[in-house]
């Protein structure tokens, strides 16, 4: 089987994750989500995971069992769907579909990335927007939750084609966003190149240099140092905190990282800096194992600079590395696993293989990469497990720092911004740990993240009235 099974492990129209019994108010909210959002399995999965954690919260604090909170928090404030027509280099016309789900603005302007990938449909964007709402709350910064994207596939497209697509998309999106309204950024398939084209078109249409409307901008024109590195670095900072609770560190550890995009590359960089050996990484076609440790410069040249395939890495590295087309990267024995590719890429069988090989910690760089069964397996085996909404929050947190710099017409040094990122990740870890301990489940970061994020957003919603 291929590394990333896209939506295969939780089929779009297929079976739902097994449920633990929910408090009647939570069950009622979940039933409403199921009936209103038919066929959106990833969204159902994300909602169920949060509601499951809230059982003890609604028992202790009945005010949260109110439909006015539970149903509203699961229903996006606004969902925008539009067509994106564009022409390729040969003059052929293509029509893609794009989405922006403005999920929750209780804490600040909607904030969350844009994803360009053929698997994108409304259910994926809703799950990401829902997760984003709690993740953003966990950062402690004033940002609401949103997400967007398109089923456009940038693979194999020329720069000109990507530019025309981005310009066409922004020609509709511009009317919905703004630095006080909704601030998109990158995600899968959307990096510095795409943000540049999107920003240029926004500026042209509005005739305003509104730096704070998008984050992930280039350093020379409003971007923040550390934003590119932030998700991967932040993931490793969170991991350090988590290992620290067991008096363990990354030094000398064998690490496996899935993916080879923005998050994966910077997680590899930081893990290596802290003394770990990263043995394997992947793309959607397969994975490489490098017994001497991944050569980051070579990986960057192939995957970042040339937008190539990871198979080339093994070909160029020679006898030390092997390429495995398809297959599961989680069969590579390691002590630390960092899934950094996409949702549902690590199944129960993968978790069993990792536990068998002696994994001690799993931290999610991607959003929802572990299936619910895999998470349960890690937790019952005593493996430290960090959910994406906490562990990968460094990306959006540094986007918020970019917005701060834009608002102050300022730009901060790399070291200062990295220090802020580090402090934020320590605080995210503390919030999760404290909430988990408060509800009698010390070390259950999934529960802690869901509870802390929920309470913060729900309290703000209640204070702002029924809107
Ligand atoms: P990139 O596009 O830079 O890289 C994605 C990587 O994952 C690539 O190696 C890609 O392989 C692989 N991949 C993506 N989707 C699939 C799929 N459906 N099947 C197989 N392989 C896939 O994205 P990012 O690194 O930015 O994002 C990775 C994850 O991290 C996502 O879940 C994203 O939501 C999450 N995230 C990203 C943040 C950011 O700041 N960028 C912030 C927080 C979370 P290939 O090269 O073959 O396409």
């Amino acid at each position: 089987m291929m590394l990333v099974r896209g939506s295969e492990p939780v089929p779009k129209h297929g079976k739902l994750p097994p449920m633990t019994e929910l408090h009647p108010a939570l069950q009622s909210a979940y039933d409403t989500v199921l009936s209103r959002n038919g066929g959106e399995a990833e969204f159902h999965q994300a909602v169920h995971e949060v509601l499951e954690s809230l059982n003890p919260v609604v028992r202790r604090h009945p005010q949260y069992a109110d439909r006015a909170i539970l149903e509203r928090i699961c229903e996006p404030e606004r969902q925008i769907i539009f067509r994106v027509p564009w022409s390729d280099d040969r003059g052929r016309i293509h029509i893609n579909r794009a989405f922006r789900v403005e999920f929750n603005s209780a804490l600040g302007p909607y904030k969350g990335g844009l994803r360009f990938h053929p698997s994108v449909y409304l259910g994926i964007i809703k799950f990401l927007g829902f997760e984003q709402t709690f993740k953003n709350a966990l950062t402690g910064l004033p940002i609401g939750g949103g997400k967007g994207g398109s089923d456009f596939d940038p693979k194999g497209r020329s720069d000109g084609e990507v530019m025309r697509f981005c310009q066409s998309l922004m020609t509709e999106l511009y009317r919905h966003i703004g630095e006080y309204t909704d601030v998109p950024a990158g995600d899968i398939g959307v990096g510095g190149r795409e943000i540049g084209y999107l920003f240029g078109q926004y500026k042209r249409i509005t005739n305003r240099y509104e730096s704070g409307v998008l984050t992930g901008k280039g350093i020379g024109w409003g971007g923040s140092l550390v934003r590119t590195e932030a998700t991967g670095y932040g993931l490793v900072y969170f991991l350090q905190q988590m290992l620290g609770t067991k008096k363990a560190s990354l030094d000398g550890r064998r690490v496996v990282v899935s993916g080879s995009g923005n998050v994966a590359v910077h997680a590899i960089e930081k893990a290596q800096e802290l003394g770990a050996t990263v043995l394997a990484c992947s793309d959607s076609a397969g994975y490489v194992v490098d017994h001497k440790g991944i050569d980051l410069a070579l990986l960057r040249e192939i995957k970042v600079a040339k937008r190539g395939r990871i198979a080339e890495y093994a070909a160029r590295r020679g006898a030390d590395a092997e390429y495995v087309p398809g297959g599961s990267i989680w069969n590579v024995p390691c002590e630390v696993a960092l899934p950094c590719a996409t949702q549902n890429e690590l199944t129960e069988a993968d978790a069993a293989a990792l536990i068998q090989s002696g994994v001690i910690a799993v931290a999610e760089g991607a959003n929802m990469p572990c299936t619910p069964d895999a998470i349960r397996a890690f937790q019952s085996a005593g493996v430290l497990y960090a959910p994406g909404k906490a562990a990968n929050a460094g990306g959006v947190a540094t986007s918020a720092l970019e917005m701060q710099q834009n608002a102050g017409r300022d730009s901060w040094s790399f070291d200062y911004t990295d220090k802020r990122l580090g402090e934020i990740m320590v605080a995210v870890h503390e919030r999760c740990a404290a909430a988990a301990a408060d509800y009698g489940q010390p070390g259950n970061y999934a529960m802690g993240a869901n509870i802390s994020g929920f309470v913060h957003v729900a309290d703000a919603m209640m204070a702002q009235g029924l809107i």
Side-chain angles (χ1 to χ4, degrees):
M1 200 194 254
M2 305 255 291
L3 150 69
V4 173
R5 287 132 282 194
S7 52
E8 277 176 46
V10 180
K12 279 185 189 175
H13 306 284
K15 87 176 164 44
L16 296 168
M19 305 204 351
T20 52
E21 204 166 316
L22 295 176
H23 178 284
L26 298 168
Q27 184 63 52
S28 159
Y30 186 59
D31 289 343
T32 305
V33 167
L34 292 182
S35 69
R36 277 212 185 120
N37 305 279
E40 297 177 0
E42 296 85 354
F43 181 47
H44 303 163
Q45 181 183 339
V47 170
H48 190 269
E49 203 191 285
V50 170
L51 295 182
E52 215 175 15
S53 299
L54 298 180
N55 269 324
V57 180
V58 297
R59 271 192 226 108
R60 192 191 291 177
H61 300 290
Q63 74 266 30
Y64 296 124
D66 194 332
R67 285 185 62 189
I69 277 301
L70 292 174
E71 283 187 30
R72 271 195 305 153
I73 218 164
C74 296
E75 177 70 14
E77 289 178 19
R78 191 174 297 109
Q79 306 178 51
I80 301 148
I81 304 179
F82 54 99
R83 73 169 181 233
V84 184
W86 59 282
S87 63
D88 66 23
D89 289 343
R90 292 158 68 187
R92 283 178 309 204
I93 305 298
H94 300 260
I95 313 293
N96 282 98
R97 183 175 281 185
F99 308 86
R100 187 73 188 164
V101 172
E102 297 180 334
F103 219 106
N104 193 301
S105 63
L107 300 181
Y110 310 106
K111 180 89 198 81
L114 295 171
R115 174 178 292 192
F116 293 170
H117 192 274
S119 64
V120 165
Y121 78 109
L122 187 58
I124 296 250
I125 301 300
K126 264 192 224 165
F127 117 64
L128 290 165
F130 182 76
E131 292 271 299
Q132 193 83 48
T133 299
F134 304 107
K135 177 190 310 188
N136 293 3
L138 279 170
T139 67
L141 297 165
I143 38 179
K147 200 81 186 189
S150 171
D151 55 8
F152 171 70
D153 187 357
K155 271 206 194 78
R157 291 291 171 198
S158 69
D159 287 352
E161 289 175 325
V162 170
M163 181 180 75
R164 286 195 294 281
F165 174 79
C166 289
Q167 290 177 338
S168 181
L169 182 136
M170 186 52 86
T171 302
E172 170 61 31
L173 186 66
Y174 88 95
R175 69 188 84 243
H176 306 291
I177 62 175
E179 76 175 287
Y180 297 107
T181 314
D182 183 355
V183 184
D187 190 81
I188 291 176
V190 178
R193 173 182 62 169
E194 291 74 19
I195 294 294
Y197 296 146
L198 290 164
F199 184 74
Q201 183 72 351
Y202 181 85
K203 183 166 64 73
R204 185 182 197 190
I205 295 173
T206 60
N207 193 29
R208 276 201 309 271
Y209 205 109
E210 188 186 334
S211 300
V213 70
L214 288 170
T215 58
K217 299 180 292 295
I219 299 305
W221 45 277
S224 172
L225 289 165
V226 191
R227 176 59 189 91
T228 310
E229 295 83 357
T231 309
Y233 280 19
L235 170 68
V236 176
Y237 295 153
F238 191 98
L239 174 65
Q240 275 185 300
Q241 293 299 308
M242 195 166 73
L243 289 171
T245 63
K246 303 282 177 207
K247 309 238 177 307
S249 81
L250 259 178
D251 195 23
R253 299 277 178 203
R254 290 168 296 129
V255 177
V256 168
V257 179
S258 65
S260 48
N262 173 277
V263 180
V265 161
H266 296 103
I268 294 172
E269 182 176 60
K270 188 52 76 178
Q272 289 180 339
E273 216 178 286
L274 294 171
T277 302
V278 180
L279 290 171
C281 64
S282 61
D283 66 15
S284 51
Y287 65 90
V288 286
V289 183
D290 189 328
H291 302 289
K292 288 206 166 146
I294 293 293
D295 175 341
L296 193 55
L298 179 60
L299 181 71
R300 276 201 158 107
E301 183 196 324
I302 294 167
K303 289 301 297 184
V304 183
K306 287 167 51 182
R307 298 176 194 276
R309 309 307 301 157
I310 206 146
E312 194 190 325
Y313 177 95
R316 295 207 15 214
R317 191 80 163 134
D320 291 328
E322 66 180 296
Y323 174 63
V324 183
S328 172
I329 193 172
W330 309 118
N331 289 326
V332 180
C334 62
E335 294 158 287
V336 174
L338 304 178
C340 296
T342 196
Q343 64 277 354
N344 292 321
E345 57 160 301
L346 196 163
T347 64
E348 190 180 13
D350 296 324
L354 284 166
I355 292 164
Q356 178 77 25
S357 81
V359 76
I360 58 163
V362 179
E364 297 183 336
N367 286 308
M368 212 168 74
C370 298
T371 63
D373 289 340
I375 297 169
R376 274 188 273 275
F378 289 135
Q379 288 174 334
S380 39
V383 173
L384 290 166
Y385 162 76
K389 63 170 78 70
N392 72 31
V396 74
T398 309
S399 276
L401 300 183
E402 181 174 333
M403 291 162 72
Q404 278 186 37
Q405 291 169 75
N406 295 153
R409 301 275 185 267
D410 200 358
S411 75
W412 305 340
S413 70
F414 190 96
D415 287 349
Y416 176 72
T417 317
D418 191 34
K419 184 168 159 282
R420 292 283 310 265
L421 168 64
E423 288 163 358
I424 291 167
M425 295 314 295
V426 169
V428 171
H429 177 270
E430 274 170 17
R431 285 187 188 102
C432 298
D438 186 26
Y439 283 90
Q441 299 252 351
N444 186 339
Y445 290 93
M447 189 182 194
N450 290 335
I451 291 177
S452 173
F454 169 82
V455 168
H456 191 171
V457 176
D459 285 350
M461 289 173 71
M462 289 193 282
Q464 292 169 22
L466 188 59
I467 53 169

